[in-house]
Amino acid sequence: MLEEIGFVDVKIGPPVDTFKGAGGEDKARLFAVYGYAFLACKPR
């Protein structure tokens, strides 16, 4: 999706457990929900 709007050099980081200790942690585990960092550049 990022490439479709013009970003280049898109990199996606490893999965991160963003729900650890949160109230919905059990549901996040059930559906394997993780957060990901994105890094991309917009061409000049």
Side-chain angles (χ1 to χ4, degrees):
M1 187 163 88
L2 290 171
E3 287 107 346
E4 290 176 9
I5 60 171
F7 284 96
V8 296
D9 299 326
V10 176
K11 298 193 180 13
I12 303 171
V16 177
D17 182 4
T18 56
F19 284 94
K20 186 171 184 168
E25 182 178 3
D26 57 335
K27 290 185 177 58
R29 296 289 156 269
L30 181 64
F31 292 101
V33 176
Y34 296 97
Y36 294 86
F38 291 87
L39 178 64
C41 297
K42 188 80 171 174
R44 295 179 190 217

